[in-house]
Amino acid sequence: HDFLNHLQVISGFIQLHKGEEARAYIREVARELERQGAILHLGVPEAAFALLYALREAALAQVDLRYDIRCSLVSCTVPGTRIGRALEAVLLRAVRMLSPPEVRHRSLSVSLEKDGSCCLFRVSVPVQDHGDLREAVDAAGEELAGCGGGAALGVRPAAGGLLAEVVLSLPLREGE
């Protein structure tokens, strides 16, 4: 469905003799496909599902969810089902916290990067009260703890309130 929409937009630009706009649009679509490809290449289908599902829920709630995937989870020692449940718990709670119409700062960011012998998922979300997020982080921590992983919540002052950062730590196999 999205692909057909993209083709229609490109066709429209071409019909209107707007070649430069068509090229710019194609570059934009290619960048977005590359970003989405990073999700699909996470190596853990349950984590990919959790992130894609959160993206969908965020779009429906008009929350801007930005992500930056810099590593794969293929070598992670935590089972995929546990990663998926932990990530989904945190992301969906963050989206729900940002979805009420009175919330002005409606964006959250997610990153995944390798840090030594772990992969770290970082979820940053502006909050007024982080109590609801604490429950999700505790649930994620319980999910990951039995496999050597963990979850932590940090909160610091930011423009317009507080910025909460959730870190999910996922150990890698030795030598990876």
Side-chain angles (χ1 to χ4, degrees):
H1 183 259
D2 284 346
F3 185 71
L4 291 176
N5 287 343
H6 293 312
L7 289 177
Q8 279 186 314
V9 170
I10 293 165
S11 175
F13 281 134
I14 292 170
Q15 288 173 1
L16 295 171
H17 305 288
K18 295 186 174 193
E20 190 53 43
E21 286 89 343
R23 280 187 284 283
Y25 186 79
I26 290 169
R27 282 191 294 274
E28 178 184 323
V29 169
R31 277 192 300 274
E32 183 56 31
L33 289 173
E34 186 177 328
R35 283 177 18 90
Q36 289 178 2
I39 293 174
L40 298 176
H41 290 97
L42 278 172
V44 175
E46 298 88 347
F49 173 80
L51 190 49
L52 289 170
Y53 185 60
L55 280 164
R56 177 187 173 278
E57 293 299 304
L60 290 173
Q62 297 179 339
V63 171
D64 180 28
L65 192 162
R66 298 176 187 188
Y67 59 93
D68 182 20
I69 307 294
R70 296 178 182 227
C71 67
S72 168
L73 296 173
V74 171
S75 300
C76 185
T77 62
V78 178
T81 53
R82 289 179 177 264
I83 297 170
R85 285 193 297 256
L87 188 57
E88 188 174 326
V90 170
L91 290 175
L92 293 182
R93 184 66 56 97
V95 168
R96 273 190 238 117
M97 290 174 66
L98 296 175
S99 63
E102 64 272 8
V103 175
R104 293 182 27 225
H105 302 287
R106 300 168 68 84
S107 66
L108 67 126
S109 66
V110 178
S111 67
L112 174 64
E113 61 189 358
K114 186 176 177 186
D115 184 26
S117 61
C118 290
C119 280
L120 300 178
F121 261 113
R122 295 182 192 277
V123 179
S124 298
V125 57
V127 295
Q128 295 300 319
D129 175 22
H130 61 282
D132 281 349
L133 195 55
R134 165 58 64 202
E135 291 175 19
V137 171
D138 289 346
E142 289 174 20
E143 195 67 53
L144 300 173
C147 303
L153 172 64
V155 181
R156 61 183 164 86
L162 301 171
L163 183 68
E165 183 177 71
V166 177
V167 178
L168 302 181
S169 176
L170 307 169
L172 301 171
R173 286 186 201 95
E174 285 187 40
E176 303 277 337

